Amino acid sequence: MSSEVYIVDDDKLARESLAWLIDTVGLRVKVYESGFSFLDDYRDTMAGCLVLDVRMPALSGMDLHIKLKQLGCRLPIIMMTGHADVAMAVRAMKAGVYDFIEKPYNDSLMLERIQSAIAFDLDTRKKQERELEVKTRLAKLTPRENEVLHYILKSTANKNIAAELLISIKTVELHRSNLMLKMQASSATELVRLALIAGFE
Amino acid sequence: MKSVYLFSIAVPIILFSLLCLAQDKLPLEEISIGVLAEQGVDNADTKSTPIVDDSSNPVSGLYLFVEPIILEHGPWVIVVMILLIFLLVYVLRTRRKLTASERNLSHEIVERKETEATLADYKKSLEKRVVERTNDIDMVNQSLQKSQSALRNLVEITSSPRLSHEDKLTRLLETGREYYQTAAASISSLEEYHKRLCVVADKKELFRDYVGPLNKICVQQAIAQFNKPLDIPNLNIKNYKYPGCGSEVLNSYLATAVLVKGRPHYVLEFADIIERKGQYTHWDHNMLQLMARWIGSEIEKQEVIEEQQRNQTELARVSRMSAMGEMVAGLAHELNQPLTGAINYSSACLRRLKYEKIDREKLIIGLERAVEGATLAADIIRQLREFVKKGKSAKEPVNINVVVLKIVDLLSAEIRRHRTRVTLQLADNIPVILANEIQLEQVVLNFIRNSLDAMENTEARLREIIITTELDYDKVRLFVMDFGDGIPATTEGEVFDAFYTTKSDGMGMGLSISRTIIEEHNGTIVANNNPETGACFSFEIPANSSVVQ
């Protein structure tokens, strides 16, 4: 799914003007008049970034952020506020908000932030995909191959692995070539890299 | 006495010789000795020799006379003699007894006299003691009366609802000073640089340019023994000498600690130039302790009241501030939305103009919406101004002097807390003007508050606010002058701007609002620095002649 900018602001003029502004850089925009309408529309597959107004009736920007976090949403969030409030900004950043911007904002600054948020999102998603792929490959390994993989990651020689597992060197070599094939790794170094992506120690 | 013994010796000799004569006639010379001796006998003893002849030779006469008698009545003579001896012995014994009793008697008389003298002494001393005792009782009575009247005074003072805290303290102290008859009395704090709470003296010069307790060294002592008064009748003797007040040196001293919430916070002192003869009585000491307790409770009461007032003003200020903060936050949001919109549309249009091929329709829509947003923002501001104007009530006749007095009274607690003197120089000829009283009050209040805050760093004795009103032709003027830090030279023109403030917790609205109010009254508002120290804030309002009848 391609990236989109989701704007949540109760003020029509504010959200539509922002959408209009974002339109000039050719990004796709979706506007919501409240936090609830965004939650209704929310899909796990949404990509891009979320621009939220802090001060909204019913569901405030911060509340929506907390709700989304509970849903496991990884969209980077840019908060907008009408008046600078250092305490609130600090709170928002600590809660994991991607950025905090003060209204009225400079157009290029806003667009730059949005683009950086989208890039961040893309990056995260790529990483996620890669991790998922490596994990599926790992799942294909037999228990014995898994054992051998652990020894390889500790850079143990085949001879020693055979001694440890009480099997012949030939068998170890067979397991090794099999798992390299399954993991789609051409060398031991690549195997280590894949293991790191998958979260191996 | 001697004769008695002589006689008692002589009689047996005579007897013996007579008996001898009667038997064998003794020579004459021997007898004459005994007779001679007998002749020296006192007349009182004539009984024993009642018959005495007057012949020329008494010895031979007697012999001649006695011899026949003895010869004739020998046994009878002996009997008579014996009887005579018995008689003599009896007489002698009686006589001895008599002398003994006489001696006893004289002894007794001496004793008696002595006793009488002692008794007289006793009586005298008793009288003296009675007199002394009466005097004592009189004195006690007097001191009792004195303390009674002093106590009555104290009760009257403390329970009087009309007196202010300062008046009460002054009167309490004055009562004490009269009671102890000293030249000076003071209550001073043990903290706050020994600030003097209250002072009375029959000579003002005793305290000129002098801060703190009457005698600092003595105060230390008085505090050390805070349950007992420190009473020194003569300061010179005890080496307590300390450069006293003013030009005079104090010589007698009486002090005790004043406990506030159980701890010595103040000290009550009485001192005089003249030395006293002795210490005060324990009555007086008790009285002093009592006075100290009353003063302590009075101060405690006042502290509670001030604390309450402070809390109230603080609460009012905080709620005002938070209301204002809320309003500002709300206003910022309200204004920001349309402004953000307008800016977004405008900048988007600019971008389109710069980077895309020109699409008239789209640009028109964008710009129209930008105008829409800007208009909305302007509308909000207009609404706000109207809302503020709504608070403007009808003008009514106002006397500016009354406004000043009202505000000074309202701020009295705050003024006292800042330890500032307020001098009023109100002109009598100020006409009644048409104005909004509440708004003018707000202006005066802002002026005074600013002055109080400006003198925060000023030495306490220099803190003064002078409020002057005057009529200049058809204009009423009010000046509020302080001796604080003054307006920083760089910002002299900005003091009336909104959000200009030198205070850490200020909004910077006070003077800005004041200017709005004065301008609404067709007046002008001015802020200047004094030539030397401090600043002077003033305004002038045209006196509406139509109001003055």
Side-chain angles (χ1 to χ4, degrees):
Chain A
M1 206 172 173
S2 63
S3 295
E4 247 182 322
V5 180
Y6 306 95
I7 301 169
V8 185
D9 195 330
D10 61 310
D11 191 89
K12 186 171 172 267
L13 197 66
R15 68 171 179 262
E16 278 178 0
S17 66
L18 183 59
W20 219 67
L21 181 68
I22 293 166
D23 188 42
T24 59
V25 288
L27 281 167
R28 291 204 291 141
V29 186
K30 257 193 182 169
V31 291
Y32 301 90
E33 57 177 18
S34 80
F36 290 116
S37 57
F38 176 74
L39 281 176
D40 287 344
D41 205 30
Y42 176 71
R43 299 283 175 279
D44 219 14
T45 51
M46 277 182 171
C49 79
L50 185 59
V51 183
L52 284 184
D53 188 32
V54 170
R55 206 184 249 252
M56 280 189 297
L59 193 64
S60 79
M62 283 300 284
D63 291 341
L64 179 61
H65 166 60
I66 290 162
K67 274 213 155 75
L68 286 172
K69 227 179 165 182
Q70 283 166 358
L71 289 172
C73 168
R74 292 205 186 187
L75 280 175
I77 291 172
I78 299 173
M79 284 274 193
M80 298 184 292
T81 175
H83 65 291
D85 184 340
V86 177
M88 190 169 44
V90 169
R91 215 166 57 230
M93 294 306 276
K94 273 195 176 164
V97 165
Y98 181 75
D99 214 337
F100 197 89
I101 201 160
E102 198 186 333
K103 275 189 197 173
Y105 38 79
N106 179 291
D107 56 329
S108 42
L109 184 74
M110 185 58 156
L111 292 173
E112 186 205 301
R113 298 275 168 92
I114 287 171
Q115 267 153 351
S116 111
I118 288 170
F120 176 79
D121 182 54
L122 276 175
D123 203 37
T124 336
R125 267 168 211 288
K126 231 183 241 168
K127 268 188 199 156
Q128 238 176 331
E129 266 170 40
R130 191 120 182 86
E131 195 185 319
L132 204 70
E133 202 191 315
V134 173
K135 275 185 177 165
T136 43
R137 281 181 209 166
L138 273 173
K140 284 181 198 160
L141 299 184
T142 63
R144 202 44 150 185
E145 281 165 358
N146 231 325
E147 256 176 308
V148 174
L149 174 64
H150 275 94
Y151 282 110
I152 295 168
L153 291 178
K154 280 185 220 160
S155 39
T156 322
N158 284 355
K159 192 172 69 184
N160 296 344
I161 298 173
E164 287 271 345
L165 294 174
L166 304 171
I167 48 174
S168 69
I169 296 175
K170 272 256 156 53
T171 324
V172 172
E173 272 168 4
L174 184 70
H175 281 311
R176 191 172 178 143
S177 69
N178 275 347
L179 81 89
M180 291 290 256
L181 203 71
K182 280 181 184 170
M183 289 301 286
Q184 298 173 19
S186 52
S187 67
T189 336
E190 206 183 335
L191 202 63
V192 170
R193 196 174 58 80
L194 288 173
L196 277 177
I197 288 168
F200 270 66
E201 300 273 307
Chain B
M1 269 298 140
K2 233 184 241 172
S3 57
V4 179
Y5 292 114
L6 211 63
F7 187 77
S8 55
I9 297 163
V11 170
I13 293 171
I14 293 165
L15 269 175
F16 178 70
S17 54
L18 281 178
L19 280 172
C20 290
L21 270 172
Q23 281 156 20
D24 45 29
K25 288 179 195 161
L26 281 161
L28 234 162
E29 287 81 352
E30 283 176 43
I31 296 166
S32 70
I33 298 162
V35 174
L36 270 170
E38 195 187 24
Q39 267 191 332
V41 167
D42 205 20
N43 285 345
D45 302 318
T46 41
K47 283 178 236 161
S48 55
T49 50
I51 315 132
V52 176
D53 204 351
D54 267 358
S55 58
S56 55
N57 193 342
V59 177
S60 59
L62 179 72
Y63 183 77
L64 290 175
F65 179 66
V66 169
E67 196 189 11
I69 296 167
I70 297 166
L71 290 177
E72 215 173 304
H73 315 283
W76 287 109
V77 168
I78 290 163
V79 169
V80 167
M81 279 299 174
I82 289 163
L83 281 173
L84 270 173
I85 287 164
F86 275 125
L87 187 72
L88 197 72
V89 170
Y90 177 75
V91 165
L92 281 173
R93 280 186 63 180
T94 319
R95 198 187 156 92
R96 208 163 46 230
K97 273 185 188 165
L98 260 172
T99 33
S101 58
E102 198 182 337
R103 218 182 298 140
N104 273 346
L105 200 68
S106 67
H107 191 69
E108 262 174 32
I109 286 169
V110 170
E111 268 188 359
R112 178 80 188 258
K113 272 183 185 160
E114 277 174 5
T115 319
E116 269 175 9
T118 327
L119 263 175
D121 273 357
Y122 269 130
K123 203 179 152 190
K124 236 184 267 168
S125 71
L126 199 68
E127 274 172 2
K128 218 171 86 187
R129 277 177 65 182
V130 166
V131 170
E132 275 175 7
R133 195 82 194 148
T134 322
N135 282 345
D136 275 359
I137 290 171
D138 275 355
M139 263 176 65
V140 169
N141 245 337
Q142 274 178 3
S143 68
L144 263 179
Q145 276 176 358
K146 220 170 82 175
S147 19
Q148 200 190 358
S149 72
L151 275 173
R152 197 179 298 133
N153 264 338
L154 294 184
V155 171
E156 271 173 24
I157 292 163
T158 40
S159 60
S160 168
R162 282 175 295 112
L163 291 174
S164 71
H165 174 62
E166 281 80 5
D167 283 348
K168 275 185 186 175
L169 282 188
T170 315
R171 296 224 186 154
L172 280 173
L173 206 56
E174 190 61 54
T175 311
R177 199 177 69 81
E178 271 166 26
Y179 182 82
Y180 294 109
Q181 295 171 336
T182 58
S186 97
I187 306 170
S188 28
S189 169
L190 297 172
E191 293 133 20
E192 297 185 54
Y193 314 107
H194 293 294
K195 183 187 71 154
R196 222 177 242 166
L197 212 61
C198 182
V199 86
V200 288
D202 53 3
K203 279 189 220 149
K204 278 281 172 234
E205 58 266 28
L206 274 175
F207 298 108
R208 200 174 46 208
D209 290 337
Y210 187 77
V211 184
L214 299 177
N215 189 321
K216 278 179 190 157
I217 296 168
C218 291
V219 164
Q220 299 301 327
Q221 274 241 327
I223 298 310
Q225 49 171 56
F226 67 85
N227 277 325
K228 211 173 73 191
L230 178 71
D231 188 355
I232 307 167
N234 187 342
L235 280 174
N236 288 331
I237 289 174
K238 284 200 158 188
N239 281 332
Y240 284 115
K241 198 153 174 165
Y242 186 82
C245 319
S247 56
E248 311 276 0
V249 172
L250 299 169
N251 281 314
S252 68
Y253 188 78
L254 176 71
T256 192
V258 176
L259 305 184
V260 177
K261 287 170 190 154
R263 294 194 54 200
H265 277 273
Y266 296 90
V267 63
L268 172 64
E269 299 175 286
F270 295 95
D272 206 293
I273 303 155
I274 306 154
E275 289 171 11
R276 261 183 282 127
K277 282 197 201 83
Q279 292 203 324
Y280 285 109
T281 62
H282 80 279
W283 285 101
D284 294 334
H285 286 171
N286 286 350
M287 189 75 190
L288 186 71
Q289 293 302 86
L290 194 70
M291 217 178 279
R293 267 211 293 283
W294 283 26
I295 288 172
S297 69
E298 190 59 44
I299 292 170
E300 220 166 288
K301 215 160 70 188
Q302 182 62 21
E303 278 180 1
V304 169
I305 291 171
E306 279 185 7
E307 179 73 28
Q308 268 175 2
Q309 280 177 346
R310 203 167 23 236
N311 286 347
Q312 260 169 19
T313 32
E314 183 59 23
L315 188 73
R317 203 185 64 81
V318 166
S319 56
R320 210 170 48 233
M321 285 288 285
S322 63
M324 211 151 177
E326 282 285 305
M327 203 188 81
V328 169
L331 197 66
H333 186 76
E334 284 296 306
L335 275 175
N336 264 328
Q337 299 290 27
L339 281 179
T340 309
I343 292 169
N344 280 349
Y345 278 120
S346 315
S347 33
C349 285
L350 266 176
R351 279 176 174 277
R352 279 171 212 278
L353 283 170
K354 275 182 195 163
Y355 307 117
E356 290 174 17
K357 61 177 198 284
I358 294 161
D359 179 349
R360 267 177 70 98
E361 295 290 313
K362 243 186 177 170
L363 282 177
I364 287 170
I365 292 172
L367 287 172
E368 265 175 3
R369 289 190 181 165
V371 170
E372 195 185 310
T375 318
L376 208 60
D379 279 351
I380 289 167
I381 288 170
R382 197 172 50 246
Q383 274 170 20
L384 189 75
R385 196 179 289 144
E386 265 162 22
F387 170 76
V388 172
K389 271 190 181 169
K390 231 183 271 172
K392 185 174 77 175
S393 60
K395 289 180 179 173
E396 52 200 334
V398 176
N399 184 340
I400 205 124
N401 286 349
V402 175
V403 170
V404 170
L405 291 174
K406 207 165 149 187
I407 294 301
V408 168
D409 187 46
L410 187 78
L411 289 177
S412 59
E414 212 164 311
I415 290 167
R416 197 164 46 237
R417 202 169 58 248
H418 281 84
R419 279 184 263 143
T420 305
R421 212 165 40 252
V422 172
T423 311
L424 299 179
Q425 297 174 345
L426 307 179
D428 300 329
N429 60 347
I430 301 288
V432 170
I433 54 169
L434 259 189
N436 182 323
E437 189 169 1
I438 292 165
Q439 288 186 342
L440 283 191
E441 279 172 10
Q442 208 176 344
V443 175
V444 176
L445 186 118
N446 277 332
F447 280 9
I448 297 177
R449 275 242 173 93
N450 279 343
S451 295
L452 287 176
D453 291 338
M455 288 191 289
E456 202 91 89
N457 303 325
T458 310
E459 211 178 311
R461 64 188 175 88
L462 297 175
R463 287 184 198 167
E464 189 180 10
I465 295 177
I466 302 172
I467 304 173
T468 316
T469 56
E470 64 173 36
L471 176 70
D472 183 17
Y473 297 109
D474 58 343
K475 277 172 184 155
V476 173
R477 286 208 189 101
L478 176 133
F479 302 89
V480 175
M481 193 156 88
D482 65 56
F483 298 92
D485 300 337
I487 307 157
T490 48
T491 58
E492 211 159 339
E494 300 166 18
V495 286
F496 292 112
D497 292 350
F499 304 113
Y500 168 83
T501 185
T502 54
K503 301 168 205 168
S504 56
D505 57 347
M507 284 283 293
M509 293 305 286
L511 285 176
S512 160
I513 290 168
S514 298
R515 182 172 63 179
T516 317
I517 290 169
I518 295 302
E519 280 171 359
E520 224 159 71
H521 285 81
N522 303 319
T524 48
I525 193 164
V526 180
N528 284 322
N529 270 329
N530 294 332
E532 282 165 23
T533 53
C536 181
F537 286 84
S538 65
F539 66 73
E540 59 174 40
I541 294 177
N544 195 328
S545 53
S546 67
V547 187
V548 190
Q549 257 92 56

